[in-house]
Amino acid sequence: MGKNSARRGLARAPMLLAAVVLGLILTALPAAAGEASGTVSVDSLWNQPGGLSADSGWYFLQQWWDQAARTTTRDQTQRGLAELAQANTDLLNAYSLLAEASTDPGPHPVPGIDPLLSGLYATVTGVHVKAPVGGFFAGLNQAMLNVEGRGSTADIIQSLLQDFDRLQQAADRDLAQSQGFKSLWAANSLRQAGVIANLQALAGEVSDAASLRTAVTDLDHQRKNILTEHDGLKD
């Protein structure tokens, strides 16, 4: 009887999967229709999604997944909005990394495990090690980042800023044929200006600050140029 139940469960699996996929599609349709009509709120472009951190050695998988999702979007307007939202995420990630580098650098303890290990080690030796397991994984992650050419915080932020610039231009092209997005672009660009100003202020806290400040300044100039192209809009 147990075997028959297992077989029935396996037979129903494709049906359940199809039902879940259909449910997701139906759920997404109203949102897509609203966005296509030009009723998108600028707040919806700043909902930073969860995922791998930009300073993870596995972040390239997150980038591949996000790129694949945008590429398979046939609606040009939807793709442009997704590109703009991802550009904003790159900007927020760059700011978050820079803020962390200046306030809380170094390997972070693994919750639950590292405090226990540190306590036991300190009891035996009298030496308190903050993050033994966290430090080990941080070393492995750093090795991966070095191989990828993103070995420093400045390198990671530079790559995020380059991705931001590429996505901004792609979004500008994809939304060029859509009407009703000029005010949205202006409001979004104003928020970007605030994050960029904070990035510029923090840039002096990391190594290779001169090149990073230059990169942020160039990025802001490009942002202003695209904004001006939208019927003469300015900050």
Side-chain angles (χ1 to χ4, degrees):
M1 184 173 179
K3 292 182 178 179
N4 291 334
S5 299
R7 289 192 187 117
R8 283 197 298 270
L10 290 174
R12 291 173 183 169
M15 298 175 60
L16 291 174
L17 179 60
V20 171
V21 172
L22 180 60
L24 291 174
I25 293 174
L26 292 176
T27 302
L29 284 177
E35 290 181 353
S37 64
T39 60
V40 186
S41 165
V42 68
D43 291 333
S44 67
L45 300 176
W46 289 87
N47 293 327
Q48 190 170 12
L52 295 175
S53 174
D55 60 350
S56 168
W58 299 99
Y59 185 68
F60 68 92
L61 294 176
Q62 183 74 50
Q63 289 182 305
W64 173 85
W65 177 262
D66 293 336
Q67 176 65 32
R70 292 191 300 269
T71 302
T72 55
T73 302
R74 295 184 179 181
D75 185 277
Q76 193 172 14
T77 298
Q78 289 298 306
R79 187 169 61 249
L81 291 171
E83 289 161 345
L84 196 56
Q86 183 60 50
N88 293 338
T89 297
D90 287 337
L91 207 55
L92 289 174
N93 282 338
Y95 174 74
S96 298
L97 285 177
L98 199 54
E100 183 178 343
S102 60
T103 60
D104 189 20
H108 299 150
V110 176
I113 300 177
D114 269 338
L116 178 61
L117 291 178
S118 297
L120 292 174
Y121 188 78
T123 301
V124 175
T125 66
V127 178
H128 181 71
V129 180
K130 180 182 177 182
V133 178
F136 173 73
F137 284 117
L140 292 179
N141 188 71
Q142 185 62 48
M144 289 187 66
L145 291 174
N146 291 338
V147 171
E148 296 169 10
R150 301 189 304 135
S152 68
T153 299
D155 292 335
I156 298 172
I157 293 175
Q158 291 271 16
S159 68
L160 287 170
L161 296 183
Q162 291 171 3
D163 200 46
F164 169 88
D165 183 39
R166 178 183 63 81
L167 288 165
Q168 275 277 101
Q169 296 185 38
D172 184 40
R173 290 192 301 268
D174 285 334
L175 294 176
Q177 304 302 321
S178 303
Q179 300 298 322
F181 287 100
K182 293 177 182 177
S183 60
L184 176 69
W185 191 282
N188 188 70
S189 186
L190 183 62
R191 291 197 183 187
Q192 290 177 344
V195 180
I196 289 174
N198 290 333
L199 267 172
Q200 190 76 300
L202 284 174
E205 302 295 329
V206 298
S207 59
D208 198 17
S211 63
L212 189 55
R213 283 196 299 269
T214 299
V216 175
T217 300
D218 292 342
L219 198 72
D220 196 40
H221 288 159
Q222 293 165 8
R223 178 194 63 82
K224 290 178 180 178
N225 290 337
I226 295 178
L227 183 63
T228 303
E229 291 173 1
H230 284 250
D231 284 354
L233 293 173
K234 295 182 180 180
D235 288 340

